[in-house]
Amino acid sequence: MSGAVGTADAEAAELPEYPMTRASGCPFDPPPELKAAQREGPLRRVRLWDGSTPWLVTRYADQRALLADSRISADVMRPGYPSPSEVPKEGSPISFILMDDPEHGRLRRMVTPPFSVKRVEALRPAIQRIADDLIDTMLAGSKPADLVDAFALPLPSLVICELLGVPYADHDFFQENSKQVINRDTTPEQKQNALVELGRYLYELMGRKLEEPGDDLLSELTGRINNGEITQADAAQMGVLLLIAGHETTANMIALGTLALFEHPEQFALLRDSDDPELTASAVEELLRYLHITHNGRRRVAIEDIEIAGETIRAGEGVIIPNDIGNRDPEVFDDPDSLDVRRGDHRHLAFGFGVHQCLGQQLARVELQVVYNTLYKRIPTLQPATSLENIPFKHDGSVYGVYELPVTW
Ligand code: HEM
């Protein structure tokens, strides 16, 4: 018996470790080992931090098929779930991103209306004002400036605070705690503490909204609490998810996208010199495809046996679906490794796919369209103030990007 376990352990030790890092290759590309895995075949085993050996799905078509498959679960508490770190303890608060239907759908639907195309479009003028104000302040300050600090982080943070009804004055507190939640190298205790702190903060805020509702998403949830559909703790948990998801992702797309454009000056010039909103929209989609910042892979576990790409994923086996490599699949995208803001094919998986597909994608799109249409036109001489080698990349975070981007003009 122990011999069999020993053999299995030895075999597992031979497998490539996941996640792989972009540190050894081009900072805008998926890790070289992941590209090699895609060339070698559609499915393979990898080894995680805890010694488990889930499947890695490398090709676009299989990734989409699995993300849309109801035999796949996103429930982090299920045995076999390929967690990026220690799983939360029984009874810990969990957001609907880590739940299955019907509970996932029930909770998601409660917060869906403010993220509709129509309601997000109505926010465009306010987002434009925020972008212009931040640029005015940056231009009035000294050079070089850190684009992350001056622009990329405050913009989505101000927008999501406004939408949720969270006081922006508390941004130091929630940005610091969000960072702890999404950093790959924080300990499980640090992550747990940060989630507890954020949960407590939003619970208290919900309490204030219950007494005095305003015109915002969290206040809309008070009606659901009052009629017993959800508890105050559930509402606070949804607030935590939306607050974290709402600013870290877009912020990284702004800073990393700008850096990618600096490194592709002809693409930067196309965007800066065009007044065509279609081109801006296309550039946003292309940068989402090319950069794919949620680089930790979608995590799932099979709840039934699934035959796919000539293999059988058994019930209870973990599945990792790295959409960054799906977005570079040569069977789907022509010349997938080049950044082409005029590319017409926007079938990327940057927002995931299936029932958990990003709830905030329209908001992210509008924010990025405003940014990419404003920043380089208002500061046509915007340029990096240091070389690529000196930029600190977030290889350690579950959302990829840059910690700082010194710029001048
Ligand atoms: C460029 C920016 C963004 C990117 C690349 C992004 C990416 C993603 C991805 C890949 C997923 C799927 C996760 C999975 O299947 O496991 C997701 C889910 C989600 N995103 Fe985003 N996101 C972005 C912006 C936003 C914004 C602005 C919000 C607003 C609050 C948001 C809220 C959410 C929520 C609530 C979910 C969970 C959906 C569910 O489980 O049903 N995201 N996002």
Side-chain angles (χ1 to χ4, degrees):
M1 178 72 186
S2 62
V5 171
T7 314
D9 286 350
E11 278 170 14
E14 297 288 303
L15 293 173
E17 206 174 325
Y18 190 87
M20 293 133 177
T21 155
R22 298 184 182 196
S24 60
C26 165
F28 308 119
D29 285 350
E33 297 87 343
L34 202 49
K35 296 179 94 174
Q38 187 183 59
R39 282 193 297 274
E40 281 156 22
L43 248 73
R44 64 158 312 146
R45 296 274 192 172
V46 285
R47 180 168 45 88
L48 294 193
W49 61 280
D50 59 356
S52 62
T53 57
W55 292 98
L56 180 80
V57 183
T58 67
R59 304 221 170 131
Y60 177 95
D62 301 326
Q63 294 192 346
R64 253 171 83 118
L66 281 169
L67 287 172
D69 196 317
S70 58
R71 294 168 297 172
I72 278 282
S73 163
D75 181 352
V76 67
M77 303 308 274
R78 259 181 203 272
Y81 181 91
S83 183
S85 59
E86 227 161 88
V87 287
K89 293 183 186 61
E90 200 65 52
S92 306
I94 286 180
S95 306
F96 62 78
I97 193 168
L98 298 174
M99 291 178 190
D100 290 336
D101 285 339
E103 186 59 1
H104 155 262
R106 186 181 83 89
L107 295 171
R108 177 174 164 132
R109 279 191 296 278
M110 288 183 195
V111 288
T112 299
F115 295 100
S116 69
V117 175
K118 198 165 159 226
R119 281 187 58 183
V120 167
E121 261 319 310
L123 291 176
R124 196 183 280 268
I127 297 172
Q128 183 69 55
R129 261 196 311 279
I130 291 173
D132 282 323
D133 288 351
L134 288 169
I135 293 171
D136 287 343
T137 308
M138 189 168 91
L139 289 175
S142 55
K143 299 191 256 188
D146 175 13
L147 192 77
V148 175
D149 214 38
F151 186 72
L153 194 54
L155 183 137
S157 209
L158 279 158
V159 173
I160 196 71
C161 282
E162 184 65 28
L163 199 144
L164 292 178
V166 169
Y168 184 70
D170 297 338
H171 69 275
D172 280 344
F173 163 80
F174 58 73
Q175 281 170 1
E176 186 47 42
N177 281 292
S178 303
K179 218 185 282 168
Q180 301 278 327
V181 174
I182 67 163
N183 267 11
R184 266 185 198 166
D185 61 358
T186 41
T187 64
E189 287 73 31
Q190 285 171 317
K191 205 169 276 187
Q192 189 67 19
N193 286 344
L195 279 170
V196 168
E197 284 297 316
L198 285 167
R200 187 176 300 145
Y201 170 79
L202 273 141
Y203 188 87
E204 285 169 13
L205 186 60
M206 279 311 302
R208 297 206 292 278
K209 305 265 175 204
L210 278 163
E211 281 173 18
E212 214 178 308
D215 182 17
D216 53 61
L217 189 152
L218 294 182
S219 297
E220 279 178 36
L221 288 178
T222 56
R224 311 243 182 208
I225 299 174
N226 288 333
N227 68 18
E229 278 180 76
I230 44 167
T231 62
Q232 188 173 335
D234 288 337
Q237 205 46 45
M238 285 201 263
V240 172
L241 171 63
L242 295 171
L243 192 56
I244 297 177
H247 71 270
E248 278 293 341
T249 44
T250 313
N252 283 303
M253 270 307 298
I254 295 172
L256 191 67
T258 298
L259 182 59
L261 289 166
F262 286 156
E263 293 295 308
H264 296 81
E266 71 303 338
Q267 303 283 311
F268 181 91
L270 273 173
L271 207 49
R272 182 195 54 203
D273 301 339
S274 162
D275 284 324
D276 179 5
E278 294 282 317
L279 181 76
T280 312
S282 166
V284 166
E285 300 306 318
E286 173 66 350
L287 283 156
L288 284 162
R289 180 194 74 84
Y290 181 73
L291 298 172
H292 196 90
I293 53 164
T294 58
H295 65 149
N296 238 354
R298 313 278 71 76
R299 310 281 176 134
R300 301 292 191 266
V301 54
I303 48 181
E304 285 176 35
D305 289 359
I306 301 172
E307 305 276 342
I308 190 153
E311 299 278 1
T312 304
I313 300 174
R314 300 269 172 220
E317 288 182 340
V319 183
I320 294 182
I321 305 174
N323 293 146
D324 50 351
I325 196 73
N327 282 347
R328 301 289 188 96
D329 188 338
E331 286 185 17
V332 179
F333 300 101
D334 290 337
D335 196 8
D337 292 329
S338 65
L339 175 69
D340 174 5
V341 295
R342 286 181 291 196
R343 188 187 291 272
D345 187 341
H346 303 316
R347 290 174 292 164
H348 63 76
L349 301 171
F351 293 120
F353 194 70
V355 289
H356 287 280
Q357 190 170 145
C358 181
L359 175 71
Q361 59 185 284
Q362 295 310 334
L363 179 61
R365 286 195 165 99
V366 170
E367 288 174 332
L368 294 173
Q369 287 165 8
V370 167
V371 166
Y372 293 150
N373 191 41
T374 307
L375 186 60
Y376 321 128
K377 288 191 173 65
R378 287 216 40 208
I379 321 180
T381 56
L382 190 72
Q383 57 196 278
T386 186
S387 60
L388 194 62
E389 302 80 68
N390 295 327
I391 307 277
F393 287 93
K394 294 184 177 174
H395 295 295
D396 54 347
S398 62
V399 182
Y400 186 68
V402 292
Y403 284 106
E404 273 171 41
L405 182 55
V407 291
T408 189
W409 53 89

